[in-house]
């Protein structure tokens, strides 16, 4: 019996690239004729024709499964949805925009057959991305390496192939604040990097702006944002900074013009400074409490509006069930 390989593709407003992706990936599937292969497109609440195009592909290709989420849940949730429904003996994740070349799958499968549980793509170059994005990304990975106990490989995205046992391990982690790169690292298992040159987007625009990336980084370090608590931390920081500048001002003023009420300048500076620092750290505390709040609600990670399983996966599954 042929092994089944599932390729999960999260897609959010990707109407320009989805067919291109499908044809490039189909060519790769041709070369993997010893396996049953399927693509699982996860529509993450797109507002364009992505869903329509996905359904069209599913109608004409037995190897296409579709999952339609009820709204936009974000890439992490979309990937989780794909992993949850994937039946493959190995499951791969690829971006819809062709930045992770579909041809990488061949190298991944080779590594998997060699006995590695995880083969991940490590980029040596990134085309079409600004220096600021590359710079901030590199700082983030260095920071993560320093402050977290899980070892997240540098210059690695979500593009990877995982064996069944790794996927099962990931599925068992249901935390709401999902930082997938961290979770991938947390489960462990023998892993190997496959180096590649990251292409620029085939078409369309990135769905991640700097603010999203900043939040993504926060999620990685602690987890999500609770806006009002965050305002407290920023406010605290600003007050502390202002107090510092104000302090310098008062000190200089006192030195040159003398002070009217004795002790007033130091008192003022101290009160403001301590107040600022306190607010700042209440904000930091709040970040954590907010995450606890998020987890206790135990809401589902995503909601599926519609799920169509590919013919190839359902038949492979039936045969699997019989034995
Ligand atoms: N994506 C998603 N949900 C989102 C944002 C992005 O499923 O809310 C998908 C998107 O369609 C793409 C992948 O995640 O397949 C990576 O997104 P993008 O290319 O915009 O990110 P970048 O490559 O710029 O980091
Ligand atoms: Mg991209």
């Amino acid at each position: 019996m042929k092994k089944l390989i599932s390729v999960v593709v999260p897609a959010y407003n990707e109407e320009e690239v989805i067919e291109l992706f499908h044809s490039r990936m189909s060519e790769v599937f041709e070369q993997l004729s010893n396996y049953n292969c399927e693509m699982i497109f996860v529509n993450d609440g797109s507002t364009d024709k992505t869903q329509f195009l996905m359904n069209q592909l599913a109608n004409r290709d037995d190897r296409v499964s579709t999952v339609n989420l009820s709204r936009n849940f974000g890439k992490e949730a979309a990937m989780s949805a794909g992993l949850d429904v994937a039946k493959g003996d190995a499951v791969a994740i690829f971006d819809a925009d062709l930045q992770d070349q579909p041809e990488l799958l061949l190298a991944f499968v080779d590594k998997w057959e060699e006995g590695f549980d995880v083969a991940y793509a490590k980029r040596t170059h990134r085309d079409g991305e600004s220096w600021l994005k590359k710079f901030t990304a590199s700082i983030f990975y260095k920071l993560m390496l320093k402050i977290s106990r899980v070892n997240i490989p540098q210059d690695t995205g979500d593009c990877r192939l995982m064996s069944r046992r790794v996927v099962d391990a990931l599925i068992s982690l249901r935390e709401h604040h999902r930082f997938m790169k961290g979770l991938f690292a947390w489960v462990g298992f023998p892993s190997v990097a496959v180096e590649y040159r990251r292409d620029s987007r085939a078409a369309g625009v990135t769905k991640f702006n700097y603010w999203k990336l900043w939040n993504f980084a926060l999620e990685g370090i602690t987890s999500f944002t609770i806006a009002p608590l965050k305002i407290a931390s920023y406010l605290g920081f600003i007050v502390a900074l202002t107090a510092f500048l104000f302090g310098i001002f008062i000190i200089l003023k006192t030195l040159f013009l003398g002070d009217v009420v004795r002790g007033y300048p130091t008192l003022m500076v101290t009160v403001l400074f301590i107040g600022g620092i306190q607010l700042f750290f209440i904000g930091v505390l709040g970040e954590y409490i907010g995450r606890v709040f998020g987890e206790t609600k135990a809401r589902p990670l995503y909601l599926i509006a519609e799920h169509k399983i590919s013919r190839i996966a359902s038949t492979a599954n039936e045969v699997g069930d019989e034995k």
Side-chain angles (χ1 to χ4, degrees):
M1 207 187 87
K2 287 180 180 178
K3 291 181 192 165
L4 176 67
I5 297 175
S6 306
V7 176
V8 171
V9 189
Y12 175 52
N13 293 344
E14 301 285 10
E15 61 182 4
E16 286 142 307
V17 291
I18 207 129
E19 288 189 320
L20 205 60
F21 178 90
H22 173 262
S23 60
R24 279 267 301 270
M25 194 47 104
S26 298
E27 279 167 30
V28 174
F29 282 3
E30 297 305 319
Q31 297 176 54
L32 291 169
S33 51
N34 292 333
Y35 301 88
N36 284 323
C37 300
E38 65 159 342
M39 280 174 240
I40 304 176
F41 287 104
V42 182
N43 173 27
D44 186 15
S46 302
T47 50
D48 64 0
K49 286 195 304 186
T50 302
Q51 173 68 20
F52 173 74
L53 296 171
M54 271 168 45
N55 288 343
Q56 258 188 353
L57 290 173
N59 286 340
R60 66 163 202 258
D61 186 346
D62 287 348
R63 298 171 305 188
V64 173
S65 295
T66 59
V67 177
N68 187 23
L69 300 186
S70 63
R71 63 168 170 85
N72 179 256
F73 282 91
K75 187 186 178 189
E76 316 289 301
M79 285 191 289
S80 305
L83 292 179
D84 287 346
V85 303
K87 296 274 184 288
D89 299 291
V91 182
I93 300 176
F94 279 83
D95 282 0
D97 59 9
L98 292 168
Q99 277 192 291
D100 312 317
Q101 297 110 355
E103 292 72 29
L104 276 167
L105 187 64
L106 300 170
F108 287 168
V109 172
D110 283 346
K111 294 290 178 195
W112 176 47
E113 289 297 354
E114 277 173 32
F116 289 101
D117 282 280
V118 181
Y120 58 87
K122 188 178 166 75
R123 33 187 186 240
T124 51
H125 293 274
R126 300 170 112 182
D127 289 341
E129 288 182 44
S130 71
W131 68 267
L132 188 60
K133 184 161 177 180
K134 289 185 225 178
F135 178 67
T136 45
S138 111
I139 288 187
F140 172 69
Y141 286 114
K142 290 210 175 87
L143 190 70
M144 283 303 285
L145 197 69
K146 281 233 163 64
I147 64 172
S148 71
R149 284 202 291 156
V150 285
N151 190 355
I152 298 176
Q154 264 207 47
D155 293 322
T156 302
D158 298 312
C159 178
R160 61 191 59 228
L161 177 132
M162 295 164 285
S163 67
R164 190 72 243 168
R165 61 175 179 167
V166 172
V167 176
D168 286 341
L170 276 174
I171 289 175
S172 72
L173 307 175
R174 300 315 286 181
E175 65 231 64
H176 217 265
H177 294 282
R178 296 184 88 66
F179 176 64
M180 290 300 275
K181 288 189 209 0
L183 298 183
F184 289 142
W186 186 88
V187 297
F189 291 107
S191 309
V192 63
V194 174
E195 297 206 333
Y196 80 120
R197 198 190 165 97
R198 189 163 164 89
D199 287 338
S200 42
R201 252 182 179 273
V205 291
T206 175
K207 307 297 178 297
F208 290 92
N209 54 30
Y210 282 104
W211 179 244
K212 266 197 183 177
L213 285 174
W214 157 247
N215 276 313
F216 185 63
L218 263 191
E219 192 76 87
I221 295 163
T222 51
S223 264
F224 219 68
T225 49
I226 302 299
L229 296 169
K230 213 148 129 186
I231 291 170
S233 48
Y234 288 124
L235 203 67
F237 184 69
I238 292 167
V239 169
L241 195 71
T242 317
F244 184 69
L245 298 176
F246 188 49
I248 293 175
F249 167 73
I250 287 181
I251 289 165
L252 291 178
K253 193 171 150 227
T254 314
L255 282 178
F256 293 109
L257 302 176
D259 77 13
V260 193
V261 184
R262 295 213 146 252
Y264 171 76
T266 32
L267 196 70
M268 210 50 209
V269 169
T270 319
V271 166
L272 283 178
F273 187 73
I274 299 292
I277 293 290
Q278 275 173 340
L279 268 181
F280 181 72
F281 282 104
I282 288 173
V284 172
L285 261 180
E287 291 283 337
Y288 286 92
I289 294 175
R291 282 178 182 82
V292 173
F293 177 58
E295 298 295 344
T296 52
K297 285 184 287 190
R299 290 185 185 157
L301 299 175
Y302 54 82
L303 292 174
I304 293 181
E306 197 185 1
H307 174 207
K308 262 193 250 146
I309 187 163
S310 63
R311 200 159 308 145
I312 203 144
S314 54
T315 53
N317 209 28
E318 276 160 26
V319 177
D321 286 345
E322 277 162 19
K323 63 166 192 220

